[in-house]
mmCIF file of all heavy atoms in Angstrom:
data_model
loop_
_atom_site.group_PDB
_atom_site.id
_atom_site.type_symbol
_atom_site.label_atom_id
_atom_site.label_comp_id
_atom_site.label_asym_id
_atom_site.label_seq_id
_atom_site.Cartn_x
_atom_site.Cartn_y
_atom_site.Cartn_z
ATOM 1 N N THR I 1 152.178 16.129 -37.628
ATOM 2 C CA THR I 1 151.607 16.575 -36.365
ATOM 3 C C THR I 1 151.271 15.355 -35.525
ATOM 4 O O THR I 1 150.684 14.398 -36.011
ATOM 5 C CB THR I 1 150.330 17.399 -36.606
ATOM 6 O OG1 THR I 1 150.662 18.468 -37.472
ATOM 7 C CG2 THR I 1 149.771 17.927 -35.317
ATOM 8 N N THR I 2 151.653 15.418 -34.275
ATOM 9 C CA THR I 2 151.423 14.296 -33.373
ATOM 10 C C THR I 2 150.432 14.708 -32.315
ATOM 11 O O THR I 2 150.553 15.778 -31.725
ATOM 12 C CB THR I 2 152.738 13.875 -32.685
ATOM 13 O OG1 THR I 2 153.727 13.663 -33.693
ATOM 14 C CG2 THR I 2 152.559 12.623 -31.872
ATOM 15 N N SER I 3 149.451 13.892 -32.071
ATOM 16 C CA SER I 3 148.453 14.177 -31.047
ATOM 17 C C SER I 3 149.092 14.123 -29.672
ATOM 18 O O SER I 3 149.948 13.293 -29.400
ATOM 19 C CB SER I 3 147.317 13.151 -31.141
ATOM 20 O OG SER I 3 146.456 13.296 -30.034
ATOM 21 N N THR I 4 148.639 15.037 -28.772
ATOM 22 C CA THR I 4 149.187 15.040 -27.419
ATOM 23 C C THR I 4 148.586 13.922 -26.578
ATOM 24 O O THR I 4 149.143 13.526 -25.572
ATOM 25 C CB THR I 4 148.950 16.391 -26.719
ATOM 26 O OG1 THR I 4 147.558 16.668 -26.733
ATOM 27 C CG2 THR I 4 149.726 17.498 -27.407
ATOM 28 N N ALA I 5 147.443 13.438 -26.984
ATOM 29 C CA ALA I 5 146.835 12.330 -26.244
ATOM 30 C C ALA I 5 147.301 11.019 -26.860
ATOM 31 O O ALA I 5 147.079 10.763 -28.020
ATOM 32 C CB ALA I 5 145.314 12.417 -26.322
ATOM 33 N N SER I 6 147.990 10.200 -26.074
ATOM 34 C CA SER I 6 148.446 8.916 -26.590
ATOM 35 C C SER I 6 148.234 7.863 -25.510
ATOM 36 O O SER I 6 147.983 8.166 -24.355
ATOM 37 C CB SER I 6 149.919 8.992 -27.009
ATOM 38 O OG SER I 6 150.719 9.277 -25.884
ATOM 39 N N SER I 7 148.394 6.628 -25.935
ATOM 40 C CA SER I 7 148.125 5.534 -25.000
ATOM 41 C C SER I 7 149.199 5.453 -23.924
ATOM 42 O O SER I 7 148.938 5.012 -22.816
ATOM 43 C CB SER I 7 148.016 4.205 -25.759
ATOM 44 O OG SER I 7 149.217 3.980 -26.473
ATOM 45 N N ASP I 8 150.435 5.842 -24.238
ATOM 46 C CA ASP I 8 151.455 5.858 -23.195
ATOM 47 C C ASP I 8 151.903 7.306 -22.970
ATOM 48 O O ASP I 8 151.569 8.191 -23.711
ATOM 49 C CB ASP I 8 152.638 4.951 -23.539
ATOM 50 C CG ASP I 8 153.355 5.376 -24.803
ATOM 51 O OD1 ASP I 8 153.010 6.438 -25.363
ATOM 52 O OD2 ASP I 8 154.259 4.646 -25.225
ATOM 53 N N ASP I 9 152.664 7.546 -21.944
ATOM 54 C CA ASP I 9 153.055 8.898 -21.585
ATOM 55 C C ASP I 9 154.428 9.283 -22.107
ATOM 56 O O ASP I 9 155.010 10.263 -21.673
ATOM 57 C CB ASP I 9 153.033 9.063 -20.053
ATOM 58 C CG ASP I 9 151.608 9.159 -19.521
ATOM 59 O OD1 ASP I 9 150.716 9.515 -20.315
ATOM 60 O OD2 ASP I 9 151.419 8.908 -18.318
ATOM 61 N N THR I 10 154.985 8.552 -23.067
ATOM 62 C CA THR I 10 156.287 8.911 -23.611
ATOM 63 C C THR I 10 156.082 9.966 -24.694
ATOM 64 O O THR I 10 155.227 9.815 -25.564
ATOM 65 C CB THR I 10 157.011 7.682 -24.199
ATOM 66 O OG1 THR I 10 156.167 7.086 -25.173
ATOM 67 C CG2 THR I 10 157.378 6.691 -23.127
ATOM 68 N N PRO I 11 156.852 11.044 -24.635
ATOM 69 C CA PRO I 11 156.684 12.107 -25.629
ATOM 70 C C PRO I 11 157.227 11.666 -26.984
ATOM 71 O O PRO I 11 158.079 10.789 -27.061
ATOM 72 C CB PRO I 11 157.518 13.254 -25.049
ATOM 73 C CG PRO I 11 158.514 12.600 -24.150
ATOM 74 C CD PRO I 11 157.868 11.345 -23.646
ATOM 75 N N PRO I 12 156.729 12.302 -28.080
ATOM 76 C CA PRO I 12 157.284 12.010 -29.411
ATOM 77 C C PRO I 12 158.767 12.379 -29.431
ATOM 78 O O PRO I 12 159.255 13.102 -28.572
ATOM 79 C CB PRO I 12 156.486 12.924 -30.341
ATOM 80 C CG PRO I 12 155.271 13.326 -29.563
ATOM 81 C CD PRO I 12 155.640 13.224 -28.112
ATOM 82 N N ASP I 13 159.500 11.922 -30.476
ATOM 83 C CA ASP I 13 160.949 12.120 -30.553
ATOM 84 C C ASP I 13 161.373 13.587 -30.480
ATOM 85 O O ASP I 13 162.411 13.901 -29.933
ATOM 86 C CB ASP I 13 161.498 11.518 -31.853
ATOM 87 C CG ASP I 13 161.410 9.993 -31.822
ATOM 88 O OD1 ASP I 13 161.269 9.421 -30.725
ATOM 89 O OD2 ASP I 13 161.477 9.394 -32.911
ATOM 90 N N ASN I 14 160.567 14.503 -31.076
ATOM 91 C CA ASN I 14 160.993 15.894 -31.109
ATOM 92 C C ASN I 14 160.484 16.702 -29.912
ATOM 93 O O ASN I 14 160.630 17.904 -29.868
ATOM 94 C CB ASN I 14 160.562 16.563 -32.418
ATOM 95 C CG ASN I 14 159.046 16.639 -32.539
ATOM 96 O OD1 ASN I 14 158.318 15.904 -31.892
ATOM 97 N ND2 ASN I 14 158.585 17.543 -33.399
ATOM 98 N N LEU I 15 159.885 16.065 -28.921
ATOM 99 C CA LEU I 15 159.390 16.756 -27.736
ATOM 100 C C LEU I 15 160.112 16.250 -26.501
ATOM 101 O O LEU I 15 160.403 15.072 -26.368
ATOM 102 C CB LEU I 15 157.884 16.516 -27.546
ATOM 103 C CG LEU I 15 156.943 17.092 -28.595
ATOM 104 C CD1 LEU I 15 155.508 16.726 -28.259
ATOM 105 C CD2 LEU I 15 157.084 18.592 -28.686
ATOM 106 N N THR I 16 160.392 17.162 -25.596
ATOM 107 C CA THR I 16 161.006 16.796 -24.330
ATOM 108 C C THR I 16 160.024 17.171 -23.228
ATOM 109 O O THR I 16 159.630 18.333 -23.131
ATOM 110 C CB THR I 16 162.321 17.573 -24.113
ATOM 111 O OG1 THR I 16 163.152 17.340 -25.229
ATOM 112 C CG2 THR I 16 163.000 17.144 -22.830
ATOM 113 N N GLN I 17 159.616 16.190 -22.443
ATOM 114 C CA GLN I 17 158.662 16.464 -21.387
ATOM 115 C C GLN I 17 159.406 17.042 -20.188
ATOM 116 O O GLN I 17 160.467 16.577 -19.810
ATOM 117 C CB GLN I 17 157.941 15.175 -20.975
ATOM 118 C CG GLN I 17 156.666 15.429 -20.218
ATOM 119 C CD GLN I 17 155.850 14.155 -20.115
ATOM 120 O OE1 GLN I 17 156.367 13.066 -20.297
ATOM 121 N NE2 GLN I 17 154.589 14.301 -19.810
ATOM 122 N N GLU I 18 158.873 18.124 -19.637
ATOM 123 C CA GLU I 18 159.479 18.765 -18.486
ATOM 124 C C GLU I 18 158.608 18.495 -17.266
ATOM 125 O O GLU I 18 157.643 17.747 -17.335
ATOM 126 C CB GLU I 18 159.610 20.264 -18.753
ATOM 127 C CG GLU I 18 160.519 20.545 -19.949
ATOM 128 C CD GLU I 18 160.600 22.027 -20.278
ATOM 129 O OE1 GLU I 18 160.083 22.835 -19.492
ATOM 130 O OE2 GLU I 18 161.174 22.348 -21.314
ATOM 131 N N GLU I 19 158.958 19.135 -16.148
ATOM 132 C CA GLU I 19 158.182 18.933 -14.924
ATOM 133 C C GLU I 19 156.729 19.343 -15.107
ATOM 134 O O GLU I 19 155.835 18.683 -14.609
ATOM 135 C CB GLU I 19 158.820 19.711 -13.770
ATOM 136 C CG GLU I 19 160.109 19.079 -13.288
ATOM 137 C CD GLU I 19 160.681 19.826 -12.103
ATOM 138 O OE1 GLU I 19 159.915 20.488 -11.378
ATOM 139 O OE2 GLU I 19 161.898 19.742 -11.908
ATOM 140 N N ASN I 20 156.490 20.438 -15.811
ATOM 141 C CA ASN I 20 155.121 20.890 -16.063
ATOM 142 C C ASN I 20 154.625 20.184 -17.327
ATOM 143 O O ASN I 20 155.141 20.416 -18.419
ATOM 144 C CB ASN I 20 155.105 22.413 -16.246
ATOM 145 C CG ASN I 20 153.697 22.948 -16.459
ATOM 146 O OD1 ASN I 20 152.761 22.187 -16.689
ATOM 147 N ND2 ASN I 20 153.579 24.253 -16.396
ATOM 148 N N PRO I 21 153.623 19.315 -17.221
ATOM 149 C CA PRO I 21 153.163 18.555 -18.397
ATOM 150 C C PRO I 21 152.522 19.439 -19.472
ATOM 151 O O PRO I 21 152.323 18.992 -20.582
ATOM 152 C CB PRO I 21 152.160 17.557 -17.820
ATOM 153 C CG PRO I 21 151.760 18.102 -16.496
ATOM 154 C CD PRO I 21 152.883 18.970 -16.020
ATOM 155 N N ALA I 22 152.227 20.696 -19.161
ATOM 156 C CA ALA I 22 151.621 21.580 -20.156
ATOM 157 C C ALA I 22 152.664 22.235 -21.046
ATOM 158 O O ALA I 22 152.329 22.910 -22.006
ATOM 159 C CB ALA I 22 150.798 22.656 -19.449
ATOM 160 N N THR I 23 153.945 22.059 -20.745
ATOM 161 C CA THR I 23 154.994 22.660 -21.576
ATOM 162 C C THR I 23 155.777 21.571 -22.286
ATOM 163 O O THR I 23 155.862 20.435 -21.814
ATOM 164 C CB THR I 23 155.963 23.507 -20.721
ATOM 165 O OG1 THR I 23 156.627 22.644 -19.813
ATOM 166 C CG2 THR I 23 155.240 24.622 -19.998
ATOM 167 N N ALA I 24 156.330 21.950 -23.426
ATOM 168 C CA ALA I 24 157.139 21.009 -24.191
ATOM 169 C C ALA I 24 158.160 21.788 -24.999
ATOM 170 O O ALA I 24 157.941 22.947 -25.340
ATOM 171 C CB ALA I 24 156.265 20.180 -25.126
ATOM 172 N N THR I 25 159.262 21.184 -25.337
ATOM 173 C CA THR I 25 160.271 21.784 -26.198
ATOM 174 C C THR I 25 160.154 21.129 -27.561
ATOM 175 O O THR I 25 160.154 19.908 -27.661
ATOM 176 C CB THR I 25 161.681 21.546 -25.625
ATOM 177 O OG1 THR I 25 161.737 22.107 -24.312
ATOM 178 C CG2 THR I 25 162.736 22.175 -26.518
ATOM 179 N N ILE I 26 160.052 21.948 -28.592
ATOM 180 C CA ILE I 26 159.923 21.447 -29.957
ATOM 181 C C ILE I 26 161.166 21.852 -30.725
ATOM 182 O O ILE I 26 161.555 23.009 -30.724
ATOM 183 C CB ILE I 26 158.666 22.007 -30.646
ATOM 184 C CG1 ILE I 26 157.411 21.610 -29.869
ATOM 185 C CG2 ILE I 26 158.600 21.546 -32.093
ATOM 186 C CD1 ILE I 26 156.155 22.250 -30.393
ATOM 187 N N THR I 27 161.790 20.912 -31.395
ATOM 188 C CA THR I 27 162.960 21.175 -32.215
ATOM 189 C C THR I 27 162.495 21.455 -33.637
ATOM 190 O O THR I 27 161.775 20.661 -34.226
ATOM 191 C CB THR I 27 163.907 19.960 -32.212
ATOM 192 O OG1 THR I 27 164.231 19.646 -30.859
ATOM 193 C CG2 THR I 27 165.171 20.254 -33.003
ATOM 194 N N VAL I 28 162.902 22.613 -34.180
ATOM 195 C CA VAL I 28 162.509 23.013 -35.526
ATOM 196 C C VAL I 28 163.771 23.135 -36.369
ATOM 197 O O VAL I 28 164.744 23.749 -35.955
ATOM 198 C CB VAL I 28 161.765 24.370 -35.501
ATOM 199 C CG1 VAL I 28 161.405 24.815 -36.898
ATOM 200 C CG2 VAL I 28 160.538 24.291 -34.615
ATOM 201 N N THR I 29 163.739 22.557 -37.563
ATOM 202 C CA THR I 29 164.866 22.624 -38.471
ATOM 203 C C THR I 29 164.718 23.856 -39.356
ATOM 204 O O THR I 29 163.684 24.031 -40.005
ATOM 205 C CB THR I 29 164.931 21.362 -39.350
ATOM 206 O OG1 THR I 29 164.959 20.220 -38.499
ATOM 207 C CG2 THR I 29 166.153 21.379 -40.247
ATOM 208 N N ALA I 30 165.717 24.742 -39.378
ATOM 209 C CA ALA I 30 165.686 25.940 -40.216
ATOM 210 C C ALA I 30 166.091 25.584 -41.635
ATOM 211 O O ALA I 30 166.964 24.745 -41.848
ATOM 212 C CB ALA I 30 166.619 26.996 -39.652
ATOM 213 N N VAL I 31 165.458 26.240 -42.602
ATOM 214 C CA VAL I 31 165.783 26.028 -44.006
ATOM 215 C C VAL I 31 166.365 27.326 -44.549
ATOM 216 O O VAL I 31 165.770 28.384 -44.402
ATOM 217 C CB VAL I 31 164.523 25.633 -44.804
ATOM 218 C CG1 VAL I 31 164.843 25.466 -46.276
ATOM 219 C CG2 VAL I 31 163.909 24.373 -44.232
ATOM 220 N N GLU I 32 167.529 27.256 -45.146
ATOM 221 C CA GLU I 32 168.170 28.445 -45.705
ATOM 222 C C GLU I 32 167.532 28.785 -47.046
ATOM 223 O O GLU I 32 167.343 27.917 -47.901
ATOM 224 C CB GLU I 32 169.663 28.197 -45.889
ATOM 225 C CG GLU I 32 170.396 29.431 -46.320
ATOM 226 C CD GLU I 32 171.900 29.214 -46.387
ATOM 227 O OE1 GLU I 32 172.395 28.332 -45.672
ATOM 228 O OE2 GLU I 32 172.538 29.936 -47.162
ATOM 229 N N ILE I 33 167.169 30.055 -47.216
ATOM 230 C CA ILE I 33 166.581 30.533 -48.461
ATOM 231 C C ILE I 33 167.715 31.132 -49.298
ATOM 232 O O ILE I 33 168.377 32.067 -48.857
ATOM 233 C CB ILE I 33 165.512 31.623 -48.204
ATOM 234 C CG1 ILE I 33 164.458 31.142 -47.209
ATOM 235 C CG2 ILE I 33 164.895 32.096 -49.507
ATOM 236 C CD1 ILE I 33 163.575 30.037 -47.708
ATOM 237 N N PRO I 34 167.939 30.600 -50.498
ATOM 238 C CA PRO I 34 169.042 31.125 -51.319
ATOM 239 C C PRO I 34 168.742 32.548 -51.813
ATOM 240 O O PRO I 34 167.587 32.907 -52.039
ATOM 241 C CB PRO I 34 169.126 30.141 -52.481
ATOM 242 C CG PRO I 34 167.782 29.509 -52.551
ATOM 243 C CD PRO I 34 167.223 29.523 -51.155
ATOM 244 N N GLU I 35 169.789 33.354 -51.954
ATOM 245 C CA GLU I 35 169.660 34.711 -52.487
ATOM 246 C C GLU I 35 169.180 34.628 -53.940
ATOM 247 O O GLU I 35 169.373 33.615 -54.616
ATOM 248 C CB GLU I 35 171.007 35.434 -52.428
ATOM 249 C CG GLU I 35 171.466 35.735 -51.023
ATOM 250 C CD GLU I 35 170.574 36.740 -50.307
ATOM 251 O OE1 GLU I 35 170.091 37.698 -50.960
ATOM 252 O OE2 GLU I 35 170.352 36.562 -49.099
ATOM 253 N N LEU I 36 168.577 35.722 -54.426
ATOM 254 C CA LEU I 36 168.130 35.765 -55.814
ATOM 255 C C LEU I 36 169.331 35.859 -56.745
ATOM 256 O O LEU I 36 170.309 36.546 -56.445
ATOM 257 C CB LEU I 36 167.224 36.980 -56.041
ATOM 258 C CG LEU I 36 165.896 37.013 -55.298
ATOM 259 C CD1 LEU I 36 165.158 38.311 -55.613
ATOM 260 C CD2 LEU I 36 165.030 35.817 -55.655
ATOM 261 N N THR I 37 169.220 35.184 -57.881
ATOM 262 C CA THR I 37 170.254 35.292 -58.906
ATOM 263 C C THR I 37 170.067 36.623 -59.634
ATOM 264 O O THR I 37 169.021 37.282 -59.494
ATOM 265 C CB THR I 37 170.148 34.146 -59.926
ATOM 266 O OG1 THR I 37 168.900 34.289 -60.631
ATOM 267 C CG2 THR I 37 170.228 32.779 -59.252
ATOM 268 N N GLU I 38 171.034 37.015 -60.435
ATOM 269 C CA GLU I 38 170.923 38.250 -61.219
ATOM 270 C C GLU I 38 169.695 38.174 -62.137
ATOM 271 O O GLU I 38 168.973 39.158 -62.293
ATOM 272 C CB GLU I 38 172.186 38.487 -62.045
ATOM 273 C CG GLU I 38 173.389 38.863 -61.207
ATOM 274 C CD GLU I 38 173.202 40.184 -60.467
ATOM 275 O OE1 GLU I 38 172.643 41.130 -61.051
ATOM 276 O OE2 GLU I 38 173.614 40.264 -59.299
ATOM 277 N N GLN I 39 169.449 37.003 -62.732
ATOM 278 C CA GLN I 39 168.299 36.841 -63.623
ATOM 279 C C GLN I 39 166.992 36.981 -62.845
ATOM 280 O O GLN I 39 166.042 37.603 -63.308
ATOM 281 C CB GLN I 39 168.351 35.489 -64.337
ATOM 282 C CG GLN I 39 167.203 35.285 -65.327
ATOM 283 C CD GLN I 39 167.204 36.320 -66.443
ATOM 284 O OE1 GLN I 39 168.225 36.563 -67.074
ATOM 285 N NE2 GLN I 39 166.063 36.941 -66.684
ATOM 286 N N GLU I 40 166.926 36.407 -61.646
ATOM 287 C CA GLU I 40 165.721 36.512 -60.819
ATOM 288 C C GLU I 40 165.467 37.960 -60.397
ATOM 289 O O GLU I 40 164.321 38.410 -60.383
ATOM 290 C CB GLU I 40 165.835 35.613 -59.584
ATOM 291 C CG GLU I 40 165.728 34.137 -59.899
ATOM 292 C CD GLU I 40 166.021 33.252 -58.704
ATOM 293 O OE1 GLU I 40 166.908 33.604 -57.885
ATOM 294 O OE2 GLU I 40 165.367 32.196 -58.596
ATOM 295 N N ILE I 41 166.528 38.686 -60.084
ATOM 296 C CA ILE I 41 166.379 40.102 -59.729
ATOM 297 C C ILE I 41 165.835 40.882 -60.916
ATOM 298 O O ILE I 41 164.922 41.703 -60.783
ATOM 299 C CB ILE I 41 167.726 40.687 -59.243
ATOM 300 C CG1 ILE I 41 168.113 40.068 -57.896
ATOM 301 C CG2 ILE I 41 167.662 42.214 -59.146
ATOM 302 C CD1 ILE I 41 169.529 40.380 -57.444
ATOM 303 N N SER I 42 166.370 40.607 -62.094
ATOM 304 C CA SER I 42 165.894 41.262 -63.316
ATOM 305 C C SER I 42 164.428 40.928 -63.585
ATOM 306 O O SER I 42 163.621 41.807 -63.905
ATOM 307 C CB SER I 42 166.763 40.832 -64.492
ATOM 308 O OG SER I 42 166.268 41.367 -65.690
ATOM 309 N N ASP I 43 164.073 39.654 -63.451
ATOM 310 C CA ASP I 43 162.683 39.224 -63.661
ATOM 311 C C ASP I 43 161.749 39.889 -62.654
ATOM 312 O O ASP I 43 160.653 40.324 -62.999
ATOM 313 C CB ASP I 43 162.559 37.706 -63.554
ATOM 314 C CG ASP I 43 163.223 36.981 -64.706
ATOM 315 O OD1 ASP I 43 163.587 37.631 -65.715
ATOM 316 O OD2 ASP I 43 163.396 35.748 -64.598
ATOM 317 N N ARG I 44 162.176 39.963 -61.385
ATOM 318 C CA ARG I 44 161.349 40.596 -60.354
ATOM 319 C C ARG I 44 161.111 42.064 -60.685
ATOM 320 O O ARG I 44 159.976 42.547 -60.619
ATOM 321 C CB ARG I 44 161.997 40.467 -58.981
ATOM 322 C CG ARG I 44 161.118 41.087 -57.869
ATOM 323 C CD ARG I 44 161.790 41.134 -56.533
ATOM 324 N NE ARG I 44 162.909 42.082 -56.600
ATOM 325 C CZ ARG I 44 163.831 42.191 -55.680
ATOM 326 N NH1 ARG I 44 163.818 41.425 -54.619
ATOM 327 N NH2 ARG I 44 164.807 43.078 -55.801
ATOM 328 N N LEU I 45 162.159 42.780 -61.073
ATOM 329 C CA LEU I 45 162.038 44.186 -61.421
ATOM 330 C C LEU I 45 161.076 44.375 -62.591
ATOM 331 O O LEU I 45 160.213 45.261 -62.569
ATOM 332 C CB LEU I 45 163.413 44.764 -61.748
ATOM 333 C CG LEU I 45 163.477 46.250 -62.044
ATOM 334 C CD1 LEU I 45 162.940 47.069 -60.871
ATOM 335 C CD2 LEU I 45 164.905 46.661 -62.360
ATOM 336 N N HIS I 46 161.193 43.531 -63.598
ATOM 337 C CA HIS I 46 160.297 43.589 -64.763
ATOM 338 C C HIS I 46 158.837 43.385 -64.340
ATOM 339 O O HIS I 46 157.951 44.128 -64.766
ATOM 340 C CB HIS I 46 160.731 42.525 -65.785
ATOM 341 C CG HIS I 46 159.840 42.413 -66.962
ATOM 342 N ND1 HIS I 46 159.816 43.350 -67.979
ATOM 343 C CD2 HIS I 46 158.912 41.486 -67.296
ATOM 344 C CE1 HIS I 46 158.916 42.994 -68.876
ATOM 345 N NE2 HIS I 46 158.365 41.864 -68.487
#
């Protein structure tokens, strides 16, 4: 987490400053969740 108050006005790497200083674009990396294996399905049912 990066504080919005900093000594200079350059945004952090994952933020893009727009005309309105109250808005920002944040890039989020999605993580793929693997499907359950047959054994995991069996364990869950149990």
Side-chain angles (χ1 to χ4, degrees):
T1 304
T2 308
S3 171
T4 56
S6 63
S7 58
D8 61 6
D9 285 338
T10 56
D13 291 342
N14 65 339
L15 294 179
T16 305
Q17 198 167 18
E18 298 177 8
E19 287 183 25
N20 182 348
T23 64
T25 302
I26 300 173
T27 305
V28 178
T29 305
V31 178
E32 186 175 334
I33 306 292
E35 292 294 322
L36 295 178
T37 65
E38 290 297 320
Q39 182 61 49
E40 288 173 324
I41 292 170
S42 176
D43 291 348
R44 182 187 67 192
L45 184 58
H46 176 74

